[in-house]
Amino acid sequence: MGLSGKLVSQIDIKSDGDVFHEIFRERPHHISDMSPAHIQNCDLHDGEWGTVGSIIYFNYTHDGKERVAKEIIEAIDEENKSVTFKVIEGDLMELYKTFKLIVHVDTSGEDNLVTWTLEYEKLNEDVPDPHTLMEFCLKVTKDIESHHLTANA
């Protein structure tokens, strides 16, 4: 395989898919309250929450290490309930030339399916595919789901 890659993973959630989309679209700073073991802080660096072009700074713990990521909101698709984040600075840039995270929620009836897509280009062949980062995204998703199910119980 070349240096470019893509990982896609889906997970069902029982909590409200519209609320889940809204959190990533305009309230990512609330995720640290819902998943404190994984995301410690999220600050707005430039722009406005929920606006394409805004820059967000995350402090998170991945593979047992404290890490940082500065991300730009590259796209928001309301109709398809997806948000695209492009990493522009931080720990991931030590391994990857480019890195995008796309979170999409499919809401049909009572079923809500969250799809995470990681698109990346490695700096070299020795860089592993970001499977543990995908696991991280799925754990954060389950933490958000648990938070909302507990809050609405």
Side-chain angles (χ1 to χ4, degrees):
M1 186 177 155
L3 296 177
S4 295
K6 182 181 193 176
L7 294 179
V8 179
S9 196
Q10 296 182 316
I11 188 168
D12 284 307
I13 59 169
K14 292 177 179 65
S15 57
D16 189 311
D18 291 326
V19 171
F20 189 88
H21 170 65
E22 178 194 330
I23 289 165
F24 279 93
R25 183 186 73 224
E26 61 188 43
R27 296 189 293 134
H29 51 294
H30 291 183
I31 298 171
S32 60
D33 293 333
M34 301 175 211
S35 186
H38 298 100
I39 296 182
Q40 287 71 53
N41 197 27
C42 176
D43 287 319
L44 183 66
H45 186 73
D46 190 32
E48 295 180 29
W49 294 115
T51 306
V52 171
S54 295
I55 297 174
I56 300 171
Y57 192 84
F58 283 95
N59 295 84
Y60 64 102
T61 302
H62 173 237
D63 287 341
K65 296 186 177 98
E66 291 184 9
R67 303 183 189 271
V68 296
K70 187 187 275 189
E71 302 177 359
I72 187 166
I73 299 175
E74 194 172 78
I76 298 173
D77 184 334
E78 284 302 315
E79 189 176 336
N80 293 312
K81 295 183 179 73
S82 74
V83 182
T84 302
F85 298 94
K86 180 180 180 182
V87 180
I88 54 175
E89 287 180 26
D91 294 291
L92 288 171
M93 295 293 90
E94 294 174 11
L95 300 172
Y96 301 94
K97 184 175 178 182
T98 61
F99 203 98
K100 285 185 188 181
L101 300 96
I102 303 158
V103 58
H104 165 258
V105 185
D106 185 16
T107 55
S108 56
E110 292 185 18
D111 296 326
N112 296 290
L113 185 66
V114 176
T115 303
W116 282 95
T117 305
L118 308 181
E119 297 177 354
Y120 54 91
E121 183 179 350
K122 302 179 208 178
L123 287 175
N124 60 60
E125 293 285 348
D126 297 328
V127 173
D129 291 321
H131 292 288
T132 60
L133 194 64
M134 178 61 82
E135 291 172 21
F136 171 90
C137 293
L138 297 176
K139 287 176 184 172
V140 170
T141 300
K142 293 310 273 183
D143 285 348
I144 293 170
E145 174 192 40
S146 295
H147 174 85
H148 281 97
L149 292 176
T150 304
N152 294 330

